[in-house]
Amino acid sequence: MLGYTIKRLLQMIFVLWIVSVIVFLMMSFTGDPVFMVIPIDSTEAEIAQAREILGLNRSLLEQYLIFLKGILQGDFGRSYVYRQPALDLILERLPATFEIVLVAIVLAAVVAIPLGVYAGANPNRASSRAIMSASLLGISLPSFWVGMMLIFLLAVQWQMFPSSGRGDTVDLGWFRTSLLTGDGWHHILLPALTLSLGTMAIILRMTRAGMMEVMRQDYIKFARAKGVSRRGMLYGHGLRNAMIPVVTIFGLQLGDLIAFATITETIFAWPGLGKLLIDSIYRADRPVIVVYLMLVAVLFVVINFLVDIIYTWIDPRITVK
């Protein structure tokens, strides 16, 4: 296990290095950041001075080495727009995104897994077909349309929920959260529901497919013959063995939700990473975009590593090498 962990850590470092090269090249060939930091009526001498201060007069290799050194030291530069360290801006918005994703992924798992088990164990019932039809809607409907319809119906017409914002927050040390206030929950439910629908539908369909496969296995028939209760057979024997593909999808969806909650956060004016990214792209705020992309890369490699470890816990027959 130790050897496998070291091997995966080295792979993760290699992947992150490749990502740093790609991100650097992408940022180097998309616009000139000098014109973001100088007045519009600057002279040629002032432009040249700004280019020298930013290090843009050096060769591409030298710029990359400076960029890489900054990453290793946690220095991604200062935002051209907010005039603050880009990493601080990202860390400031991260709790808002984490909490909306946490509520969305828990909501998706709590709803989708029991429904998937039921639909997989009873595929011919009308209720199972209704569940699968509803899941197809969850996959097909675009999240921006779902969000706008929820705002129109539940916020504007019936005034049950607020249409935007994060609500009241409390500080837990360096972490600020709205999950400990009633107003925070009132604000988070609509965006979290919007964010969770697609994931909910995918997990439901994967759970159903896994359960249908598992229900034909001999050990399920043996459990029935031994007199194991139906609930024990489904959740104790069936679900555990059907969870391997579900865990894979769950991990990928978790990364997707954190990285690409952009549309939902924009629709609900949720002050998280997604909205910051949209604003940064619109204003060509390169340092913030770089931190965001590197953070997304770190999230995906860490989540995939954890998923591989969880495999061995769910099914001891799987060994890590």
Side-chain angles (χ1 to χ4, degrees):
M1 187 67 183
L2 179 62
Y4 173 77
T5 304
I6 294 172
K7 181 181 174 184
R8 287 302 305 268
L9 285 174
L10 292 175
Q11 288 178 345
M12 289 163 61
I13 292 171
F14 178 73
V15 169
L16 291 176
W17 173 69
I18 294 293
V19 171
S20 75
V21 174
I22 295 173
V23 168
F24 172 78
L25 292 177
M26 285 174 57
M27 292 298 105
S28 297
F29 297 115
T30 53
D32 191 340
V34 170
F35 296 102
M36 291 296 300
V37 298
I38 61 172
I40 194 169
D41 56 348
S42 299
T43 63
E44 288 296 327
E46 290 170 334
I47 293 174
Q49 185 182 13
R51 198 177 298 282
E52 184 177 352
I53 292 173
L54 293 175
L56 297 176
N57 57 339
R58 303 186 183 193
S59 69
L60 204 59
L61 178 60
E62 286 180 301
Q63 290 183 47
Y64 173 72
L65 292 177
I66 294 172
F67 169 76
L68 189 60
K69 182 181 177 183
I71 288 179
L72 295 176
Q73 294 175 343
D75 179 12
F76 291 82
R78 298 177 72 85
S79 163
Y80 302 149
V81 176
Y82 298 96
R83 310 294 180 185
Q84 297 179 30
L87 183 60
D88 290 353
L89 275 173
I90 291 289
L91 294 179
E92 186 180 303
R93 302 293 187 95
L94 198 56
T97 295
F98 269 153
E99 65 187 29
I100 190 178
V101 168
L102 176 66
V103 175
I105 202 75
V106 169
L107 187 62
V110 167
V111 173
I113 291 178
L115 289 180
V117 171
Y118 175 81
N122 308 282
N124 297 320
R125 290 187 182 177
S127 53
S128 297
R129 288 194 285 270
I131 290 170
M132 297 312 297
S133 299
S135 73
L136 197 57
L137 278 178
I139 293 176
S140 306
L141 295 177
S143 61
F144 72 88
W145 185 85
V146 173
M148 288 191 293
M149 290 305 296
L150 289 177
I151 289 174
F152 176 72
L153 293 175
L154 300 181
V156 177
Q157 292 291 326
W158 300 331
Q159 300 183 355
M160 295 171 62
F161 296 95
S163 61
S164 63
R166 193 182 175 194
D168 295 338
T169 59
V170 294
D171 289 330
L172 292 177
W174 63 272
F175 193 85
R176 176 173 292 180
T177 179
S178 63
L179 296 181
L180 297 179
T181 67
D183 189 53
W185 277 100
H186 202 205
H187 281 76
I188 203 172
L189 285 177
L190 284 191
L193 179 61
T194 303
L195 199 60
S196 71
L197 282 181
T199 301
M200 193 183 296
I202 292 172
I203 293 177
L204 193 157
R205 297 182 78 85
M206 292 297 296
T207 306
R208 174 184 178 269
M211 286 300 297
M212 289 182 68
E213 177 66 26
V214 164
M215 293 300 287
R216 291 194 289 265
Q217 301 299 316
D218 290 338
Y219 61 86
I220 292 293
K221 298 173 184 174
F222 186 64
R224 283 177 181 166
K226 284 200 306 181
V228 176
S229 68
R230 183 167 178 79
R231 183 182 180 84
M233 181 184 66
L234 291 178
Y235 289 93
H237 296 272
L239 179 59
R240 183 166 185 145
N241 290 288
M243 284 297 286
I244 297 295
V246 177
V247 167
T248 305
I249 294 297
F250 193 86
L252 293 175
Q253 287 295 312
L254 179 61
D256 273 350
L257 290 181
I258 295 174
F260 306 117
T262 313
I263 294 174
T264 302
E265 290 187 359
T266 303
I267 290 173
F268 288 93
W270 188 263
L273 290 178
K275 191 170 186 308
L276 177 64
L277 176 66
I278 291 293
D279 294 341
S280 300
I281 292 174
Y282 180 72
R283 299 173 179 177
D285 198 353
R286 182 187 292 186
V288 177
I289 299 172
V290 168
V291 181
Y292 182 88
L293 293 176
M294 292 304 300
L295 175 68
V296 168
V298 170
L299 282 174
F300 271 98
V301 295
V302 170
I303 288 173
N304 277 297
F305 172 70
L306 294 178
V307 165
D308 287 347
I309 299 298
I310 293 173
Y311 283 163
T312 61
W313 175 71
I314 292 176
D315 190 348
R317 293 173 299 178
I318 298 176
T319 57
V320 293
K321 293 182 179 178

